[in-house]
Amino acid sequence: MDNAVLILEKTSFDNSDLDTVLGDATTFRLQLKNDIYHSYLTRPPPDVNEVKATLVCPATAKHLEKYTQQEMFLVTETEQDYRDITLPFLLESQFSLQWVYNILEGRAEQNHVVFDDPDPENGFVLLPDLKWDQKEATQLYLVAICRRRNIKSLRDLTGNHLPLLENVFFQTQAEVLSHFGVPASQLRCYLHYQPSYYHLHVHITHLAADVPGSGVERAHLLTDVIHDLRRDGDVCRTRPLSFPLRSNDELLARFRDAGRL
Ligand code: M7G
């Protein structure tokens, strides 16, 4: 029998649904009353009470590891650690990139694509992230997947990639404004280090959205990366980079075995 990961999340309310959420069909059960403070449990009607279900099936052992709640540890990786520990590990064990290639080659999610720049060097596909229910622009979560296939992560970026990064940055801002009405000043564009999928992609989220993975221990703002690379084209390859790892992550074991934790 196959393993599966199922993630259940209550979706946010749409402001236009407020009349239904608070309508006659909604029941309120008092939980607590203290002075002017009240708390209730309420059951809005099913059509405004959806649950987003994300299924990974069949799920590999690595997926089960990724989605199991665990203690986290912060690792600081030097240039040498990357060469000796991280790179060999990720070359032998990483998630399949098939879903990425399906998007780039037009075999999946094509009806959701927001923007497609076909340039093989600097082009990218912009589309909703799997995590976004695509209901509210204030919860916007898009992913820009670069067409070039030889850039694994932030670690590989050099000054030569500036035209690609600038293209993603500026075109994404313009497209998000025209499609969703969200201005650049309300967008968070960032790269994860470590990512789960080692094919360069940029996360684009609304500043108002409290999304997992946007904390300082994992997210690197694209604008900061661009400015750093303009000053020193080797900075991403050479600077120490810190990131969190789950307690049962094999990469954490390798850092421990190397005496780096
Ligand atoms: P990441 O930093 O490599 O890993 O980002 P993370 O999942 O640990 O954040 C990959 C991003 O791609 C995440 O935001 C995922 O939600 C998103 N993503 C993953 N998959 C498998 C898909 C997919 O099949 N379609 C879309 N549209 N997004 C995906």
Side-chain angles (χ1 to χ4, degrees), residues 30-45:
L30 185 67
Q31 293 282 292
L32 173 156
K33 174 172 166 35
N34 183 350
D35 188 35
I36 59 172
Y37 305 99
H38 305 75
S39 103
Y40 296 93
L41 277 180
T42 176
R43 290 206 181 146

Side-chain angles (χ1 to χ4, degrees), residues 28 60 97 99 108 120 135 171 175 189 193 205 214 218 235:
F28 285 84
T60 64
L97 295 174
W99 70 272
K135 280 170 69 177
Q171 292 226 66
E175 294 300 325
C189 297
Y193 196 74
T205 61
S214 59
R218 193 159 179 234
V235 68

Side-chain angles (χ1 to χ4, degrees), residues 39-110:
S39 103
Y40 296 93
L41 277 180
T42 176
R43 290 206 181 146
D47 49 331
V48 289
N49 199 10
E50 278 176 329
V51 170
K52 179 176 187 290
T54 309
L55 176 68
V56 182
C57 185
T60 64
K62 219 169 150 59
H63 286 107
L64 300 182
E65 188 183 284
K66 174 173 157 78
Y67 290 103
T68 307
Q69 187 129 33
Q70 289 162 48
E71 226 180 337
M72 306 291 284
F73 295 87
L74 198 70
V75 169
T76 299
E77 173 199 81
T78 63
E79 183 184 7
Q80 189 180 344
D81 292 333
Y82 179 71
R83 222 179 18 242
D84 296 349
I85 306 171
T86 311
L87 183 59
F89 170 73
L90 68 91
L91 290 178
E92 73 189 58
S93 161
Q94 58 167 297
F95 284 121
S96 160
L97 295 174
Q98 193 53 53
W99 70 272
V100 171
Y101 301 145
N102 286 346
I103 290 169
L104 293 180
E105 289 163 15
R107 288 195 301 269
E109 303 187 49
Q110 293 307 290

Side-chain angles (χ1 to χ4, degrees), residues 66-67 99-100 103 109 127-131 141 143 145 191-198 201 203 212-213 218:
K66 174 173 157 78
Y67 290 103
W99 70 272
V100 171
I103 290 169
E109 303 187 49
L127 78 168
D129 191 281
L130 185 63
K131 292 192 197 103
Y141 198 148
V143 61
I145 303 178
L191 300 128
H192 274 163
Y193 196 74
Q194 301 283 338
S196 296
Y197 304 97
Y198 289 88
H201 57 274
H203 299 252
R218 193 159 179 234

Side-chain angles (χ1 to χ4, degrees), residues 32-254:
L32 173 156
K33 174 172 166 35
N34 183 350
D35 188 35
I36 59 172
Y37 305 99
H38 305 75
S39 103
Y40 296 93
L41 277 180
T42 176
R43 290 206 181 146
D47 49 331
V48 289
N49 199 10
E50 278 176 329
V51 170
K52 179 176 187 290
T54 309
L55 176 68
V56 182
C57 185
T60 64
K62 219 169 150 59
H63 286 107
L64 300 182
E65 188 183 284
K66 174 173 157 78
Y67 290 103
T68 307
Q69 187 129 33
Q70 289 162 48
E71 226 180 337
M72 306 291 284
F73 295 87
L74 198 70
V75 169
T76 299
E77 173 199 81
T78 63
E79 183 184 7
Q80 189 180 344
D81 292 333
Y82 179 71
R83 222 179 18 242
D84 296 349
I85 306 171
T86 311
L87 183 59
F89 170 73
L90 68 91
L91 290 178
E92 73 189 58
S93 161
Q94 58 167 297
F95 284 121
S96 160
L97 295 174
Q98 193 53 53
W99 70 272
V100 171
Y101 301 145
N102 286 346
I103 290 169
L104 293 180
E105 289 163 15
R107 288 195 301 269
E109 303 187 49
Q110 293 307 290
N111 49 337
H112 294 300
V113 168
V114 173
F115 177 69
D116 185 352
D117 176 346
D119 186 276
E121 281 292 292
N122 298 327
F124 65 99
V125 176
L126 180 69
L127 78 168
D129 191 281
L130 185 63
K131 292 192 197 103
W132 187 32
D133 59 20
Q134 298 179 47
K135 280 170 69 177
E136 289 265 333
T138 54
Q139 298 301 308
L140 178 138
Y141 198 148
L142 303 176
V143 61
I145 303 178
C146 298
R147 290 212 161 267
R148 237 196 269 187
R149 296 198 179 190
N150 56 353
I151 313 169
K152 286 186 282 307
S153 73
L154 172 69
R155 224 355 147 197
D156 283 347
L157 292 174
T158 71
N160 295 334
H161 298 118
L162 278 168
L164 165 65
L165 300 176
E166 286 161 353
N167 187 41
V168 171
F169 190 54
F170 292 116
Q171 292 226 66
T172 291
Q173 290 182 348
E175 294 300 325
V176 171
L177 182 62
S178 76
H179 281 81
F180 303 100
V182 181
S185 55
Q186 293 189 315
L187 287 182
R188 205 192 270 123
C189 297
Y190 55 98
L191 300 128
H192 274 163
Y193 196 74
Q194 301 283 338
S196 296
Y197 304 97
Y198 289 88
H199 173 108
L200 194 75
H201 57 274
V202 177
H203 299 252
I204 299 106
T205 61
H206 195 292
L207 213 49
D210 185 13
V211 296
S214 59
V216 291
E217 73 278 30
R218 193 159 179 234
H220 298 255
L221 284 177
L222 182 56
T223 181
D224 290 350
V225 174
I226 289 173
H227 283 110
D228 287 347
L229 284 172
R230 281 186 191 148
R231 269 202 313 242
D232 172 2
D234 274 330
V235 68
C236 295
R237 286 218 289 233
T238 55
R239 66 165 274 213
L241 286 167
S242 299
F243 48 85
L245 288 174
R246 293 182 170 78
S247 58
N248 71 350
D249 193 316
E250 171 61 18
L251 184 57
L252 184 72
R254 301 226 181 161

